[in-house]
Amino acid sequence: MAGRPGRPRRRPDSLLGNKGYDSHPHREELRKRRILPVISRKGVPNIKGLGKLRYVVEQTFALLHQFKRLTVRWECRTELHDAFVSLARSLICWRRLKQHRSGSCHEPLATTHTTHPEDRPPASG
């Protein structure tokens, strides 16, 4: 078999960035790689709609950081970290579906606990 093992790499069509990435070298590097830079310029009002897209990313990180093990990466092996991320995504989806079935889909998903109460071991006593 020719080529590298694993999935083929895919290049994104565009890359979103905030004003901190507004520099000529960043934009040129992205264009050289045939990636459209969507970066707000310093001193100019924000790009309309960029905040909505960034909200999705920030909300995803907030949901994943509910799991303490993902907040700081301790695993040296990528496979282990990827497995924990997959497990966290599965739990997030399961909880969201469970809330949707119970009719309380408008409640916020974020909690202050690092683990969901149902996922904790029962208290001995």
Side-chain angles (χ1 to χ4, degrees):
M1 225 190 255
R4 294 181 174 176
R7 289 185 300 170
R9 290 184 159 258
R10 294 187 327 179
R11 177 178 287 123
D13 294 328
S14 61
L15 183 86
L16 305 177
N18 61 15
K19 294 178 183 187
Y21 295 98
D22 179 28
S23 70
H24 190 69
H26 285 131
R27 292 176 187 277
E28 284 303 313
E29 185 63 30
L30 289 170
R31 286 188 184 108
K32 188 167 65 172
R33 296 173 185 229
R34 294 178 294 173
I35 300 172
L36 175 67
V38 182
I39 303 171
S40 297
R41 297 210 181 261
K42 292 178 183 174
V44 177
N46 290 334
I47 297 172
K48 187 175 182 176
L50 185 60
K52 290 180 183 179
L53 296 171
R54 290 200 53 214
Y55 172 78
V56 172
V57 173
E58 297 298 329
Q59 182 66 24
T60 302
F61 283 133
L63 287 170
L64 287 173
H65 284 167
Q66 288 179 17
F67 300 91
K68 188 175 182 181
R69 187 150 196 160
L70 297 177
T71 304
V72 177
R73 182 176 170 178
W74 298 102
E75 288 78 24
C76 294
R77 293 177 47 202
T78 304
E79 303 87 27
L80 288 175
H81 183 71
D82 289 347
F84 282 117
V85 170
S86 295
L87 181 60
R89 288 190 321 229
S90 300
L91 285 170
I92 290 167
C93 290
W94 177 72
R95 290 176 193 161
R96 187 166 281 196
L97 288 171
K98 190 172 143 187
Q99 282 183 345
H100 184 71
R101 281 188 180 172
S102 67
S104 60
C105 60
H106 297 293
E107 294 178 10
L109 291 176
T111 63
T112 56
H113 304 289
T114 55
T115 57
H116 198 268
E118 293 176 5
D119 298 335
R120 293 186 195 140
S124 59

